[in-house]
Amino acid sequence: MLGVGAGAAQVQAVPANRIAALARYGMAGKAPLLKNLAEPRKTATLLATVRRLEAAAVDDALDLFDSLMATRLISPARRAMDKARLAAMPRLEKASATLVAVTRTVLELLDSAAGPREQVAGAVATVAELVPDEDSWEADNRQAIAARYGVVRPFVRLLAETLPLHAAPAGVTLLTEIRGGLPTLLRRQISRKPLTTADLNMALVPPMWRRAVLDNPALDGAADRDAYVMCLLTQLHGALRRRDIFAEPSQRWTDPRARLLDGPDWAAVREDVLAGLGLTTPVEQHLAECAIALDAAWRQLAQRIEEAGPDASVRVMPGEAARMRLSVQRLEKLGDPPSLVDLRKRVAAMLPVVDLPELLMDVHSWTGMLDAYTHVGSLNTSMDQLPVTVAALLVADACNVGLVPVTRPGDPALSRDRLSHVDQNYVRADTHAVANARLVDYQARIGITDLWGGGLVASVDGLRFRVPVQTIQVGSSPRFFGYKRGITWLNAVNDRFAGLGAIIVTGTVRDSLYILDTLLNLDAGPKPEMVATDTASYSDIVFGLFRLLGYRFSPRIADVGGTGFWRTDVPGQPAGDYGPLSAIARSKVNLDRIVTHWPDMLRVAGSLITNQVRAYDLLRMLARDGHPTPLGQALAEYGRIPKTLHLLAMVDPVDETYRRTVTRQLNIGESRHALARKILHGHRGDIMQPYRAGQEDQLGALGLVLNAVVLWNSRYIDLAVINNVLRGQGYPVRDEDAARLSPLGYAYINMLGRYNFPAPSAEQRIRPLRDPDAKDG
């Protein structure tokens, strides 16, 4: 495919969305249909399709390499070393006990007896053997990785010679060796002429790898080719993840630097972007305002702790290494008043009993959501009862039961051919998004949702699914997937319980690397102002990017008191005195670093908000596996200001509103995931789609059906509570109770289908055989 030359075509003047539409049509269309297209549409469609396939092939190859390195080499080698260390524990314990006992004796007998001296020497040697320094442990780990060269041997030549890899300045030397030196080594027979250090680029052999590369006893002093190759591949793996080395063409492994807005492109949108983000003021004035806000937050917390006295829920306590830290009491759960408990039971008992397909058709009659499913080729086709067919496909995907339960051979709208045709040409990620937008907008107009929230608070959390089929689009995690592998469905939910959008993540990587991608590609609804996440989803750089993009990032951090707090000096004022909290506010934000990189920070924000670059790629590049770039360091410094403001609000001993808002929003996401599990019941909740497109379509259907259930519940709860049905019956309804109702109930919704049990016929006890040539059946 790389030899077709599709990448050489000049398509810069063609809108990206038009190329994407042509590629979708080419991917979905059959060969006879594409052959009969008129020119120039046929050539354009084939070109866009080949370009899409070329990028997909490169992405799949690098996904396979990434999975292979992580799951078959690095992780197994580390587990093997951990197992070896664990096996050595009995010997270590015995030697340590001997060392302790003899040391006591040696204090008395060292000058008069030789026995204790020999025992001490032996025990010391054993302990030294079993407890090597950290460098030795890392070197052993590299040797274990080198021993698994056979796992990647079939793919090394493809990686070195075929894939279209390119390098940023930090990866040029490594890529040059991969391209030039590695193929030469692969063709060379070690048995004929031993390798020496002159044959290798020793600048690419870190100290931890030198033992594996140069000190293999089986090679009599020669360098170990396999170990050197594995040394290069592990560095290539890290460089690809940091995007020091990248692929082009590609979607998931491309260079984010090349996609950042710059020059005339940035100048054309800069004013509008910065106005939309509220970043039009000079950087010095902006940072001064941030410093004033942070100083005021420190003073307010100090005052409230002093007012609360010894019973305050937050106290300054000594921590490790004589450093002070905050001790924060757990947030007590709010109890449910009897009036709320009774209201929930009464409302649930009032909601109609309904089958899931009937629910979808009800919601369609209100919103027209199923009319959003249009032909992939933008053809104005007319099809009778298309909403019925689409609803059946949504049930098949969302419930994970396949087409058999929804197929009705006697019904033209539910025949196998009709379902397959509509599934191929109408049901896809972008039509799911359009339909979902209708649901979100309609639900926002239902009266009771105003009591639940204003739609400006959202949470982003992941729901894990096992994928037991053979595919590279998955990742490993024993905690979530056991011996299988799986995916994470990362979705955004607002405080009105509506799902705003979702993306699929391979395995269970840190959610923070994908949260921004989720938020920047929402289907509908107002832009959230506050975004709650779980503990594992934050870093200083992430805080900085969220602040630049106009979000208040609000992760629920497990150990709030032990997290790093920061302070700034207000220009023209002396350093703030925060009383006992001064021992906590000991780290100072480097404002000069932010000022230096502010133009590039704004350009990054503009590139993200206009979807020029994926946030995941950008964060990988900026963070560099714990060694941030200068721009990453500036974003981290900037992020420490909103991070500290968030932490100070979370530990406020007087006003718990902010902390409870974060907790409530995360609970909404978890409850919604429970409903998703209930709906997706087929195949024991496992996803059976091997390809990313199929996974996106199926989970897109699940998200849409989830929102349909939420909307249906919301309308009937509104009918019962807001439209005075209960009040008309003399039942008292308090707004504070109605605000704590949830549209995530499902006890009255049948999701398992219906089964018929006709009486047996006396005339015919044997069913006829089916026609093997019949299309339906």
Side-chain angles (χ1 to χ4, degrees):
M1 189 177 299
L2 297 177
V4 174
Q10 301 299 314
V11 296
Q12 291 84 351
V14 182
N17 59 347
R18 184 55 183 159
I19 295 178
L22 289 170
R24 283 197 305 270
Y25 184 71
M27 296 290 289
K30 296 181 180 179
L33 177 64
L34 298 178
K35 182 179 179 181
N36 293 329
L37 290 175
E39 291 291 355
R41 181 182 174 87
K42 179 167 69 174
T43 299
T45 301
L46 293 177
L47 175 63
T49 304
V50 170
R51 289 171 65 93
R52 167 73 67 85
L53 291 171
E54 185 178 1
V58 172
D59 285 340
D60 288 346
L62 291 176
D63 284 344
L64 179 60
F65 173 68
D66 179 55
S67 176
L68 199 64
M69 292 296 296
T71 63
R72 298 288 300 278
L73 293 174
I74 298 175
S75 294
R78 190 168 294 275
R79 287 197 300 268
M81 295 307 302
D82 289 342
K83 185 177 180 180
R85 279 194 160 190
L86 187 62
M89 285 301 297
R91 293 177 58 204
L92 177 61
E93 292 176 354
K94 182 177 180 181
S96 300
T98 300
L99 188 60
V100 170
V102 175
T103 301
R104 292 172 179 168
T105 305
V106 80
L107 295 175
E108 301 175 358
L109 305 177
L110 189 60
D111 293 333
S112 59
R117 189 188 304 272
E118 296 173 356
Q119 289 180 343
V120 170
V124 168
T126 301
V127 172
E129 173 193 354
L130 298 178
V131 189
D133 57 32
E134 191 62 27
D135 289 347
S136 178
W137 148 245
E138 292 292 344
D140 291 343
N141 180 258
R142 302 308 190 276
Q143 287 182 312
I145 294 175
R148 303 181 66 84
Y149 170 70
V151 174
V152 297
R153 182 176 181 178
F155 308 100
V156 175
R157 192 177 300 279
L158 169 69
L159 197 65
E161 299 179 345
T162 305
L163 290 179
L165 298 179
H166 307 273
V172 169
T173 303
L174 176 60
L175 184 59
T176 301
E177 182 67 7
I178 294 288
R179 289 282 192 228
L182 191 55
T184 302
L185 288 178
L186 295 177
R187 292 189 292 266
R188 182 170 179 172
Q189 296 294 327
I190 295 181
S191 58
R192 296 180 181 177
K193 184 178 180 182
L195 287 177
T196 66
T197 55
D199 301 312
L200 312 178
N201 187 341
M202 295 306 296
L204 294 174
V205 182
M208 298 304 176
W209 274 98
R210 286 185 173 270
R211 183 196 300 176
V213 174
L214 302 178
D215 297 335
N216 189 335
L219 298 180
D220 296 326
D224 189 333
R225 182 194 66 170
D226 295 354
Y228 181 69
V229 172
M230 294 305 299
C231 171
L232 295 180
L233 292 185
T234 54
Q235 293 182 73
L236 175 62
H237 182 237
L240 281 167
R241 289 194 163 194
R242 296 189 301 270
R243 301 302 190 265
D244 289 341
I245 294 178
F246 54 91
E248 192 64 44
S250 171
Q251 291 294 325
R252 296 191 294 273
W253 296 92
T254 189
D255 179 19
R257 288 167 288 260
R259 299 195 175 192
L260 292 176
L261 291 172
D262 198 8
D265 293 336
W266 173 227
V269 300
R270 185 180 186 277
E271 184 176 349
D272 292 338
V273 167
L274 297 186
L277 297 176
L279 296 173
T280 55
T281 57
V283 58
E284 292 81 6
Q285 179 182 344
H286 175 71
L287 293 179
E289 294 171 355
C290 293
I292 292 172
L294 184 56
D295 178 72
W298 276 112
R299 295 181 185 278
Q300 176 178 277
L301 181 61
Q303 180 182 357
R304 289 186 171 179
I305 291 178
E306 182 180 359
E307 292 174 354
D311 296 330
S313 60
V314 180
R315 291 179 294 171
V316 179
M317 304 286 291
E320 297 180 357
R323 296 172 69 91
M324 305 302 289
R325 55 163 291 157
L326 290 180
S327 174
V328 184
Q329 294 181 7
R330 294 187 60 180
L331 192 64
E332 295 295 331
K333 182 179 179 180
L334 290 176
D336 294 339
S339 59
L340 174 60
V341 174
D342 189 69
L343 179 63
R344 284 173 176 164
K345 292 180 180 179
R346 186 170 294 270
V347 169
M350 293 177 67
L351 267 58
V353 176
V354 64
D355 290 346
L356 185 60
E358 297 172 343
L359 182 150
L360 293 180
M361 299 310 295
D362 285 351
V363 172
H364 169 62
S365 69
W366 305 336
T367 65
M369 70 169 185
L370 300 179
D371 295 332
Y373 290 86
T374 56
H375 194 276
V376 66
S378 302
L379 304 178
N380 294 323
T381 58
S382 177
M383 186 178 294
D384 291 337
Q385 294 186 307
L386 178 61
V388 175
T389 308
V390 174
L393 291 170
L394 292 177
V395 170
D397 278 346
C399 294
N400 206 23
V401 295
L403 295 181
V404 172
V406 300
T407 302
R408 297 290 182 270
D411 187 342
L414 297 176
S415 67
R416 170 72 72 166
D417 284 350
R418 172 74 168 267
L419 290 167
S420 298
H421 173 74
V422 173
D423 189 29
Q424 183 180 25
N425 292 283
Y426 290 81
V427 180
R428 57 192 184 275
D430 55 334
T431 50
H432 283 327
V434 175
N436 192 46
R438 298 190 181 189
L439 299 185
V440 174
D441 292 341
Y442 188 93
Q443 195 234 8
R445 297 195 298 270
I446 298 176
I448 195 169
T449 61
D450 292 334
L451 296 178
W452 295 339
L456 300 179
V457 177
S459 59
V460 181
D461 197 9
L463 180 61
R464 273 81 183 189
F465 294 99
R466 294 195 315 168
V467 183
V469 297
Q470 291 292 329
T471 174
I472 63 173
Q473 308 287 356
V474 293
S476 299
S477 176
R479 176 184 175 188
F480 294 105
F481 309 133
Y483 294 104
K484 304 293 184 180
R485 298 191 297 165
I487 57 177
T488 296
W489 186 46
L490 196 64
N491 50 92
V493 183
N494 68 12
D495 52 1
R496 291 174 168 171
F497 300 84
L500 305 178
I503 62 173
I504 292 177
V505 179
T506 298
T508 57
V509 297
R510 287 187 60 192
D511 294 345
S512 64
L513 300 181
Y514 287 97
I515 288 176
L516 273 176
D517 285 322
T518 306
L519 293 171
L520 294 172
N521 294 279
L522 298 180
D523 298 337
K527 173 185 174 181
E529 295 179 356
M530 173 180 165
V531 181
T533 66
D534 62 12
T535 299
S537 302
Y538 79 95
S539 70
D540 292 347
I541 295 178
V542 172
F543 267 101
L545 284 176
F546 267 79
R547 175 62 183 85
L548 281 175
L549 296 175
Y551 300 105
R552 182 172 187 176
F553 189 43
S554 306
R556 180 172 58 187
I557 302 173
D559 184 16
V560 176
T563 307
F565 290 76
W566 297 79
R567 65 184 295 163
T568 57
D569 290 337
V570 177
Q573 297 184 16
D577 181 9
Y578 310 127
L581 290 179
S582 295
I584 307 297
R586 51 184 173 266
S587 299
K588 189 175 178 181
V589 176
N590 187 339
L591 298 180
D592 292 337
R593 180 173 290 168
I594 301 173
V595 172
T596 300
H597 293 277
W598 187 248
D600 287 335
M601 292 167 61
L602 295 180
R603 192 163 59 91
V604 165
S607 301
L608 287 170
I609 207 70
T610 55
N611 286 313
Q612 298 296 316
V613 63
R614 288 200 315 171
Y616 171 83
D617 298 331
L618 196 63
L619 284 166
R620 278 285 191 185
M621 179 196 73
L622 294 172
R624 291 183 56 84
D625 296 334
H627 303 282
T629 65
L631 178 57
Q633 293 173 359
L635 281 166
E637 294 287 348
Y638 183 66
R640 286 161 182 162
I641 299 174
K643 173 188 173 182
T644 304
L645 288 170
H646 162 69
L647 294 173
L648 296 178
M650 288 288 282
V651 302
D652 193 313
V654 175
D655 188 357
E656 297 178 343
T657 303
Y658 179 70
R659 192 175 175 188
R660 291 196 180 277
T661 299
V662 172
T663 301
R664 175 186 180 272
Q665 187 58 38
L666 291 175
N667 289 341
I668 288 176
E670 293 170 359
S671 298
R672 199 168 185 273
H673 287 169
L675 176 57
R677 293 286 190 196
K678 183 69 176 179
I679 295 174
L680 194 135
H681 60 270
H683 293 288
R684 296 180 296 181
D686 293 342
I687 299 297
M688 309 304 292
Q689 296 285 350
Y691 299 108
R692 178 61 56 82
Q695 295 168 3
E696 290 175 345
D697 289 347
Q698 180 170 6
L699 293 180
L702 175 60
L704 188 71
V705 172
L706 263 172
N707 265 5
V709 172
V710 168
L711 190 155
W712 190 91
N713 281 333
S714 299
R715 183 161 188 184
Y716 279 102
I717 293 173
D718 178 77
L719 181 63
V721 176
I722 302 300
N723 289 347
N724 296 323
V725 172
L726 283 174
R727 291 190 175 103
Q729 298 172 355
Y731 186 89
V733 179
R734 302 190 308 165
D735 284 349
E736 53 268 33
D737 289 339
R740 295 179 64 181
L741 294 175
S742 169
L744 297 175
Y746 53 80
Y748 37 83
I749 303 174
N750 174 43
M751 305 171 189
L752 300 179
R754 296 287 181 181
Y755 302 92
N756 296 322
F757 298 91
S761 172
E763 292 78 14
Q764 183 178 1
R765 296 181 180 275
I766 303 299
R767 296 180 180 274
L769 297 176
R770 293 181 298 159
D771 181 358
D773 298 322
K775 294 183 179 180
D776 288 335

